Amino acid sequence: MKKIEAIIRPGKLDEVKNALSELGINGITISNVLGCGNQKGYTQIYRGQEVLTRLLPKVKLEVVTSDEKLEHVITTLIAAARTGQVGDGKIFISPIEEAIRIRTGERGTEAL
């Protein structure tokens, strides 16, 4: 099993959720986060002063999937989240040793 963490633009959330749902991915965790990377933030005028805001609003998605579905989930995420501009986000993949469904005690991919 693998854990996929994706940092995406907030405006792409619905497209990504719908695409993952079509793949049969039912379990997803979504968090509103702030961050910066190559996009570097933006400049605002506040009380007559120019202020650089470095941290931009992003959405973090967390999905755990089987090794067999991994590449398909990644390509779907990329296709749904891509705009082609700086700030589209990143995808991180980590191994998951075990998953356990608390309600039933199921383990492994059955718990997903």
Side-chain angles (χ1 to χ4, degrees), residues 16-91:
V16 170
K17 282 193 321 185
N18 292 338
L20 290 174
S21 179
E22 288 175 17
L23 280 182
I25 302 296
N26 300 323
I28 184 171
T29 301
I30 300 170
S31 306
N32 289 313
V33 296
L34 296 173
C36 67
N38 289 337
Q39 201 172 4
K40 305 257 193 292
Y42 57 93
T43 304
Q44 307 182 83
I45 303 295
Y46 179 74
R47 294 187 179 191
Q49 299 282 354
E50 237 181 53
V51 178
L52 176 63
T53 302
R54 288 207 162 295
L55 299 177
L56 301 171
K58 299 290 180 181
V59 173
K60 180 180 178 180
L61 307 172
E62 296 175 81
V63 175
V64 177
T65 187
S66 65
D67 292 338
E68 296 80 33
K69 289 185 177 180
L70 178 66
E71 284 304 317
H72 201 56
V73 172
I74 291 169
T75 55
T76 300
L77 266 170
I78 291 170
R82 178 179 282 160
T83 66
Q85 299 180 8
V86 173
D88 277 351
K90 298 266 191 298
I91 297 174

Side-chain angles (χ1 to χ4, degrees), residues 1 66 98-101 103-112:
M1 289 179 293
S66 65
E98 182 70 86
I100 302 166
R101 182 173 303 199
R103 179 176 52 89
T104 62
E106 294 171 302
R107 291 177 170 259
T109 55
E110 292 82 30
L112 301 180

